[in-house]
Amino acid sequence: MSSLKIVGESPERIDGLEKITGAATYVDDIDFGARLLHAEIVETPYAHALIKSIDTSAAEKVPGVVRVITGKDFPYRFGLYMQDRFSFPTDRVRFVGEQVAAVVAHDAKTAKRAAKLVKVVYEELEPVLDLTKALRDDAVLVHPDLGNYTRCPWFFPQAGTNIAHWRKTRKGDIEKGFKEADVILEDIYTVPRYSHCAIEPHVIVGLYDLSGRLTLWSASQSPYTQRHVLAQALAPLGLSHKDIRVVTPYVGGGFGGKAGVSMEIIGAALAITVKGQPVKVRWSRAQEFYNTYQRQGVIARIKLGAKKDGTITAIEHTLHWDAGAYVEYGANVVNAVGLSATGPYRIPNVKIDSVCVYTNLPPSGPYRGFGYSEFHFGLESHMNRMAHKLGMDPVEFRRKNAIREGDTLAYGAKMNPSGLHEAIDRVAAEIGWGKKEVSKDPNKVIGKGFACFWKAPALPPNAASAAFMKFNEDGSLNISVSGMEIGQGFLTVMAQIAAEILTVPMERIRVELPDTDRNAYEWQTVGSHVTWGCGNAVKAAALELRGKMFEVVERALGIARDTLYLEDEKVKCRTRADFELPLQNFVINGIQTSHGNFIGGPILGSGVFMPEFTSALSDPETSQGGHPNVHYTVGAAAVTLEIDKKTGKMRVLKATLAVDAGKAINPGLVKGQIVGGIVQGLATVLYEDIRYDLKGKLVNANFTDYKIPTSMDVPDEIVPIIVEVAQPDGPFGARGTGEHTMIPAAAMVANAVEDAIGLRMKIMPITAEKVALELQGISYEDVKGSYMGLCFAGHPDAYKFHTKASTKK
Amino acid sequence: MTKRITVILNNETRSLDVEPNDILLNVLRETLGVKSPKIGCERGDCGACTVLLDGKTVRTCLILAVEVDGHEITTLEGLSQSGLTPVQQSLLKHNSFQCGFCAPGMVLSATELLGKNPSPSQDEVKEAISGNLCRCTGYEPVIDAIVAVGKKAGKRV
């Protein structure tokens, strides 16, 4: 095999020109003409209440109103992994802002005015806003019908409780492990909720045409999954998959927030009730915060045991997740963490309990990192503290315990090839680990923090990818896949993979955005898996195309196919130096023989990838026996942080992150993921600070009060590092990197804060305000006032994990 | 009750009727069909709806359409009419954008800056685009691309 030509290079993005000229079309940019209807949602002001009555008569009388829809019109449940969510609830509301009705009108202003006239009578119930109370035997139940919900076989909801899922992983002998330890360290870490804040809000346009076809134009990471979930939900109406079409143009940022189905069910419901007319539902920024998904909050207790020489002997990791009102996707986040909360370390004795708890806060779901960002905050903080307790250097302690290929994972499968040690060493060198830095300003101190990370895609075992490919008359190429370009550069990477095999230059390849009527299948674009999964499908399709071309040449010209190869868009022959046939000469019209007839015809290809080695079937009490994760991507990161001792203000002087990409198909795009991911991760620890009032209402659902970074808030320097230890089943050895770059940020900052000022912050975020207060000896938790950032009363250190529910076998 | 207004949109004179409470962003997108200004927050926080009003950046979600009667508006569509501008070329070359949703506003903010200050420093660039939120890129490739335009311009002087 000759050396690679385009894989491993960083060409211009193939979607670059569209995005830089404004030509790129997003859902809200598509024109639907004068018949387009607009919707306004009637939302509940209560976190938990029974719906006693809904009176829509006044709203229906407003001129310009077409329909008012409630749960009576559309009483369907839906969900990706568990059907616990409602298009419109019929009997009870479960979080502030939940939709109870929608007004559809000819224009948005009328819809808005009429929505205010819908009268809903509620009977308020006690909201479940405290995990401790949620887990009590006499708890108020968020879902009294939990036991009846359809779910995937690897979820274990406990009927009659608020526990939606409980992933238990057991390996080795945990008691023996702690007995062998010379040092045991136990503590509690807390992570609040976060919001994705893609700049494009969710938007969907639905058209249920007069022939009974439902087409949805959706800002989504998951066209096929949306079609499937909606087909399940709408089956009572007689709709099946072929009757539903999901079209997804460019998406203005996803980060997991546009995975699965959230508000899109409303678009589908409204479209069906106003048959023949397109209807648009576009979320406001506030709705974007409280009625799609949030990243769930978690309180975690970690007990870690190690020998004097630094060998970790045991970990007990208990996590209670505030998963919100609906967990049809969020419970899988909890599941993923329950399998992997050891972090990237070889630990012989493991006990993990990851408990998904319903609360009356907004629904939770996937967010870049899928639970790993959350648990790494505690784990990587704890690793530092354990190192100090052992008198070891924190980097050396990590290196000593870092996982290697072939090690047994917590659930019994073997670790894939891993460049973790290389990542640790290169990050330590880049940050100048061990070299103390001193600020020129006497009021400022500088600290350094280090963290490792790992993450596996959390996929069902049959999450497949597929690709179609066809040539055009001029030898240019169209690739049809259904992975989503959410900014990561997916289209470009797919083009590079095809270009490498077919020798067609990048500028002569189009990769089409998904339309479930014509594009090949993709489960969804989540879990940083499409470079790997869909990349394999595209590679397979390209190889099929190549094989078909060689076959045609052999049949038409009598040249043995195994002597043929491709170079510069030509078929060439190893045994006949004078032979070359440009692709454009035959990929549509075939090859003319000496008899005048033509052999061949349009060259088409397809490719499929299925991770056939995975299985979600395992013992529910131990998680042993399955192979739930395809592979882990690993890495390390570090930060140099300057802290103003008076104001608490922190400035990131330098951040560096190494990720094992297996093979970076496009190193420039991987670096883009590193820089973007670090900044997004730093935001969760330094700036973003979600607040609820004591009745469960989100009070900072906007960018004025929920601060995401601006260009003024970025680190002075970010150094991306790419490690390449090939993934044997990846295209050219590639594995995913997109989410991973966010994961270590919070812990590395916490570790740098301790290094700089000696304070261990165990509650995210670590804002300037908190640091300033703590430096004056004031506990932020004591003065934070009458709002909730965390889903339990009192100080986290007093949180009782030993509820009956979580100790029961 | 509507009011007739006239605007010069991307070098074209357009007259239209608007309601007194119509937001400029919605009028641009729905009545005039110009889609590059995006709806991101509708309260002036995110900058996705940025256009040039008489050469200066404004957030069209905070402006009533009646206010721009007789004024000149340039959107990203107008900027590229005679080919890519130097800052567009540089942003393209640097692969500066990921999802691209903030790009129209970001390009116009950069255009305004470079019009006033052809060789801005990194800090000046950061300040100029600080009203345009981007959630994907970490800003670095955007900043680098804009600074690079300035450096190139500086060399020519």
Side-chain angles (χ1 to χ4, degrees):
Chain A
M1 179 116 184
S2 57
S3 60
L4 299 172
K5 290 212 163 63
I6 186 71
V7 162
E9 298 298 312
S10 303
E12 206 170 86
R13 296 174 66 108
I14 65 172
D15 54 350
L17 194 58
E18 280 176 89
K19 288 176 174 173
I20 208 68
T21 55
T25 299
Y26 303 80
V27 170
D28 201 32
D29 301 338
I30 304 171
D31 277 316
F32 289 89
R35 282 168 64 76
L36 179 66
L37 302 174
H38 300 263
E40 182 73 17
I41 306 300
V42 179
E43 302 175 335
T44 177
Y46 301 112
H48 199 191
L50 296 176
I51 300 170
K52 304 308 282 186
S53 66
I54 303 177
D55 179 0
T56 60
S57 54
E60 280 162 354
K61 288 189 191 111
V62 175
V65 168
V66 177
R67 276 293 298 269
V68 182
I69 291 116
T70 70
K72 272 187 191 154
D73 305 300
F74 217 84
Y76 305 115
R77 281 198 275 118
F78 70 99
L80 179 57
Y81 295 103
M82 180 155 71
Q83 293 185 11
D84 71 348
R85 209 164 172 177
F86 299 81
S87 49
F88 292 95
T90 51
D91 58 342
R92 71 169 68 203
V93 291
R94 294 178 175 84
F95 68 95
V96 176
E98 182 169 12
Q99 67 275 10
V100 289
V103 175
V104 179
H106 287 289
D107 66 282
K109 283 180 192 168
T110 302
K112 196 167 216 150
R113 211 164 51 238
K116 293 200 175 86
L117 302 175
V118 174
K119 291 188 196 74
V120 188
V121 178
Y122 297 97
E123 180 187 326
E124 259 191 274
L125 299 173
E126 185 190 342
V128 178
L129 299 172
D130 184 315
L131 287 174
T132 311
K133 285 187 189 168
L135 290 169
R136 282 204 314 232
D137 280 352
D138 60 347
V140 173
L141 296 182
V142 180
H143 286 267
D145 294 333
L146 176 59
N148 302 326
Y149 292 166
T150 304
R151 60 177 168 82
C152 69
W154 67 91
F155 276 11
F156 310 113
Q158 302 192 356
T161 77
N162 284 313
I163 297 177
H165 177 44
W166 185 350
R167 170 55 63 185
K168 301 173 189 176
T169 297
R170 307 284 185 267
K171 177 186 153 193
D173 181 337
I174 192 74
E175 281 170 22
K176 182 168 149 276
F178 283 119
K179 266 187 206 143
E180 286 167 7
D182 297 310
V183 177
I184 293 173
L185 180 66
E186 184 174 340
D187 214 333
I188 292 173
Y189 301 88
T190 311
V191 181
R193 290 166 161 253
Y194 286 94
S195 178
H196 304 71
C197 300
I199 309 300
E200 178 200 35
H202 283 64
V203 54
I204 186 160
V205 179
L207 172 63
Y208 188 45
D209 71 21
L210 297 174
S211 77
R213 277 218 85 191
L214 177 65
T215 303
L216 299 157
W217 292 264
S218 177
S220 171
Q221 301 173 226
S222 313
Y224 270 96
T225 286
Q226 285 201 344
R227 188 180 73 163
H228 184 58
V229 170
L230 294 173
Q232 286 178 325
L234 303 177
L237 298 173
L239 270 83
S240 70
H241 289 76
K242 78 160 181 50
D243 305 318
I244 303 174
R245 175 185 177 200
V246 178
V247 182
T248 46
Y250 282 118
V251 169
F255 314 110
K258 288 172 183 154
V261 173
S262 59
M263 57 78 81
E264 295 81 7
I265 192 81
I266 299 173
L270 300 187
I272 280 171
T273 51
V274 293
K275 195 169 185 176
Q277 297 183 83
V279 56
K280 180 185 282 192
V281 187
R282 187 182 62 229
W283 254 198
S284 68
R285 178 52 54 186
Q287 287 167 319
E288 195 65 22
F289 271 89
Y290 58 67
N291 197 359
T292 57
Y293 302 114
Q294 291 180 352
R295 193 172 107 174
Q296 52 245 79
V298 65
I299 180 162
R301 186 187 57 203
I302 303 172
K303 183 179 173 187
L304 191 68
K307 291 183 185 168
K308 275 181 199 154
D309 69 355
T311 309
I312 299 175
T313 59
I315 186 170
E316 189 179 317
H317 201 161
T318 310
L319 305 106
H320 285 185
W321 299 85
D322 151 26
Y326 302 105
V327 305
E328 49 90 15
Y329 209 142
N332 205 43
V333 174
V334 173
N335 189 69
V337 171
L339 294 166
S340 300
T342 56
Y345 302 109
R346 41 166 42 151
I347 305 180
N349 304 295
V350 177
K351 179 174 186 278
I352 305 171
D353 289 277
S354 190
V355 185
C356 182
V357 186
Y358 279 119
T359 61
N360 288 118
L361 287 172
S364 67
Y367 181 172
R368 192 176 197 169
F370 211 73
Y372 289 70
S373 296
E374 295 90 308
F375 87 73
H376 275 74
F377 172 67
L379 183 68
E380 285 300 292
S381 296
H382 211 69
M383 286 294 289
N384 247 55
R385 298 173 68 195
M386 182 54 122
H388 289 315
K389 211 166 169 180
L390 290 163
M392 279 180 82
D393 176 79
V395 171
E396 187 48 40
F397 178 52
R398 287 180 172 87
R399 190 189 282 114
K400 185 175 177 71
N401 291 287
I403 200 157
R404 291 182 188 274
E405 182 180 358
D407 283 350
T408 303
L409 299 162
Y411 47 82
K414 299 294 180 193
M415 178 62 186
N416 52 280
S418 152
L420 183 55
H421 289 81
E422 182 185 338
I424 291 171
D425 292 344
R426 288 176 68 181
V427 165
E430 180 61 44
I431 206 73
W433 189 254
K435 279 178 233 146
K436 189 77 194 157
E437 288 179 35
V438 180
S439 175
K440 287 174 202 136
D441 184 337
N443 288 319
K444 292 176 180 168
V445 286
I446 295 174
K448 289 181 183 178
F450 195 97
C452 289
F453 62 87
W454 78 344
K455 185 190 175 291
L459 312 173
N462 54 351
S465 301
F468 297 140
M469 221 175 264
K470 61 169 185 169
F471 277 112
N472 300 308
E473 292 86 335
D474 62 354
S476 64
L477 188 71
N478 282 46
I479 301 173
S480 159
V481 285
S482 292
M484 262 328 284
E485 177 56 67
I486 49 176
Q488 77 282 48
F490 167 75
L491 302 180
T492 305
V493 165
M494 294 306 112
Q496 281 181 264
I497 289 171
E500 185 65 48
I501 292 166
L502 297 169
T503 75
V504 176
M506 292 288 285
E507 57 273 19
R508 284 168 45 77
I509 300 177
R510 279 196 74 78
V511 187
E512 294 158 20
L513 292 163
D515 172 339
T516 56
D517 263 9
R518 54 176 167 77
N519 290 46
Y521 180 85
E522 174 62 50
W523 176 61
Q524 27 173 12
T525 299
V526 297
S528 310
H529 90 289
V530 288
T531 293
W532 174 76
C534 196
N536 273 325
V538 165
K539 190 177 171 196
L543 290 172
E544 184 178 305
L545 233 57
R546 188 175 71 180
K548 284 184 174 178
M549 288 190 282
F550 292 170
E551 187 255 349
V552 169
V553 171
E554 183 181 80
R555 280 204 297 128
L557 304 174
I559 304 172
R561 69 182 80 180
D562 56 6
T563 64
L564 299 172
Y565 66 99
L566 295 176
E567 191 173 80
D568 299 333
E569 299 183 86
K570 297 181 184 94
V571 180
K572 295 187 176 180
C573 178
R574 270 185 286 273
T575 55
R576 280 179 52 183
D578 61 326
F579 174 77
E580 60 173 49
L581 182 62
L583 302 192
Q584 62 177 338
N585 288 14
F586 76 100
V587 289
I588 293 292
N589 294 322
I591 300 172
Q592 194 167 26
T593 71
S594 51
H595 305 292
N597 64 325
F598 286 84
I599 303 290
I603 304 283
L604 309 171
S606 66
V608 169
F609 179 72
M610 170 75 99
E612 292 181 350
F613 56 94
T614 61
S615 164
L617 300 178
S618 60
D619 174 9
E621 294 304 318
T622 64
S623 296
Q624 299 298 317
H627 195 308
N629 289 330
V630 292
H631 57 253
Y632 289 86
T633 296
V634 298
V639 67
T640 306
L641 189 73
E642 183 184 66
I643 305 179
D644 185 317
K645 287 188 285 183
K646 281 185 181 162
T647 63
K649 200 163 163 33
M650 286 163 281
R651 180 172 173 175
V652 177
L653 302 180
K654 180 170 181 170
T656 181
L657 184 147
V659 64
D660 182 3
K663 169 71 187 174
I665 306 280
N666 183 317
L669 292 176
V670 174
K671 287 177 181 173
Q673 289 302 300
I674 292 175
V675 173
I678 284 180
V679 171
Q680 197 169 6
L682 289 172
T684 63
V685 62
L686 295 173
Y687 310 121
E688 294 172 27
D689 195 353
I690 208 158
R691 306 285 176 99
Y692 292 88
D693 71 15
L694 297 180
K695 290 189 147 187
K697 184 186 180 203
L698 179 58
V699 294
N700 57 342
N702 59 67
F703 289 146
T704 316
D705 303 310
Y706 184 95
K707 288 292 186 196
I708 70 170
T710 73
S711 51
M712 307 290 276
D713 305 312
V714 298
D716 291 0
E717 185 187 7
I718 299 176
V719 180
I721 299 169
I722 298 173
V723 174
E724 293 185 320
V725 175
Q727 180 62 30
D729 59 7
F732 302 96
R735 64 173 84 79
T737 62
E739 294 167 280
H740 308 78
T741 56
M742 180 166 174
I743 293 170
M748 74 186 184
V749 166
N751 292 338
V753 167
E754 186 184 49
D755 186 46
I757 57 175
L759 287 172
R760 172 51 62 179
M761 310 286 275
K762 300 185 296 177
I763 305 168
M764 280 177 70
I766 303 173
T767 57
E769 183 186 11
K770 279 191 190 175
V771 169
L773 285 167
E774 297 282 349
L775 278 168
Q776 293 176 48
I778 301 166
S779 168
Y780 183 76
E781 290 305 304
D782 294 340
V783 300
K784 67 182 182 182
S786 60
Y787 69 87
M788 288 188 331
L790 310 171
C791 194
F792 45 84
H795 195 282
D797 286 350
Y799 183 85
K800 297 278 181 276
F801 280 87
H802 296 289
T803 59
K804 190 180 172 194
S806 69
T807 51
K808 158 170 95 175
K809 279 276 182 270
Chain B
M1 187 192 71
T2 59
K3 183 181 174 357
R4 187 108 186 133
I5 63 167
T6 301
V7 294
I8 302 168
L9 174 62
N10 297 330
N11 293 323
E12 251 183 21
T13 302
R14 305 284 299 267
S15 289
L16 63 156
D17 293 326
V18 297
E19 300 275 341
N21 63 350
D22 279 345
I23 303 291
L24 178 58
L25 174 58
N26 297 334
V27 169
L28 283 171
R29 289 178 56 84
E30 285 159 29
T31 314
L32 294 166
V34 171
K35 304 288 190 179
S36 76
K38 305 295 185 206
I39 301 173
C41 72
E42 297 174 282
R43 50 183 278 153
D45 285 328
C46 79
C49 66
T50 302
V51 305
L52 296 176
L53 179 64
D54 301 329
K56 288 184 182 150
T57 52
V58 293
R59 281 108 197 261
T60 53
C61 71
L62 296 181
I63 294 178
L64 294 170
V66 290
E67 293 180 83
V68 299
D69 187 20
H71 291 271
E72 193 175 336
I73 293 170
T74 306
T75 68
L76 186 57
E77 288 89 344
L79 210 64
S80 333
Q81 276 171 352
S82 46
L84 296 182
T85 64
V87 71
Q88 283 176 303
Q89 285 169 18
S90 184
L91 289 161
L92 186 61
K93 198 178 124 225
H94 281 78
N95 277 345
S96 294
F97 294 110
Q98 291 185 20
C99 85
F101 199 75
C102 71
M106 201 74 90
V107 172
L108 292 169
S109 291
T111 302
E112 182 191 31
L113 169 71
L114 292 163
K116 294 186 300 200
N117 178 359
S119 295
S121 67
Q122 194 185 58
D123 283 347
E124 287 167 335
V125 170
K126 282 186 183 179
E127 196 175 338
I129 62 167
S130 63
N132 295 91
L133 295 180
C134 167
R135 191 58 153 172
C136 299
T137 66
Y139 300 100
E140 194 184 87
V142 180
I143 296 165
D144 289 350
I146 301 169
V147 169
V149 178
K151 279 191 181 148
K152 227 171 153 183
K155 272 182 203 154
R156 278 204 298 270
V157 168

